[in-house]
Amino acid sequence: MKTMPPLPGPDRLTQDAGPYGIAGTSRPLKKYAEQLARIESALARMEAGNYGLCTNCESRIALTRLKADPAIATCADCKEPENLTV
Ligand SMILES: [Zn+2]
């Protein structure tokens, strides 16, 4: 009879969490949650039919910006302060 390979349990998760730990500063997770929120709001804008329009000034967001970040919510003039790439 074969023995089951050890499953990645809580011990492994704790190791992978690195210096931050699980309950500690969850910066990577927070970043993830923010990204998810942006994507969800982009999907909501798609449903509302105003995807690709700046949420601030309602002008059309440049295609290059949308390609670089499909969840982007603002045009180049109303750049989100944390958005460093475009
Ligand atoms: Zn704008």
Side-chain angles (χ1 to χ4, degrees):
M1 199 187 273
K2 278 183 185 175
T3 49
M4 293 283 286
L7 293 168
D11 286 352
R12 200 182 131 69
L13 285 175
T14 311
Q15 273 175 8
D16 284 352
Y20 295 113
I22 279 190
T25 321
S26 52
R27 194 165 300 184
L29 268 181
K30 196 184 168 208
K31 194 88 192 161
Y32 221 56
E34 280 169 7
Q35 185 66 14
L36 188 62
R38 297 176 77 236
I39 292 168
E40 277 178 349
S41 81
L43 288 173
R45 290 197 301 279
M46 259 181 219
E47 274 186 32
N50 53 15
Y51 175 75
L53 300 181
C54 176
T55 54
N56 189 54
C57 70
E58 295 186 348
S59 65
R60 188 159 281 285
I61 300 172
L63 201 57
T64 48
R65 278 171 71 73
L66 288 172
K67 274 184 181 168
D69 180 1
I72 206 153
T74 54
C75 70
D77 292 338
C78 313
K79 233 188 262 193
E80 295 162 61
E82 278 193 48
N83 180 21
L84 312 165
T85 44
V86 208

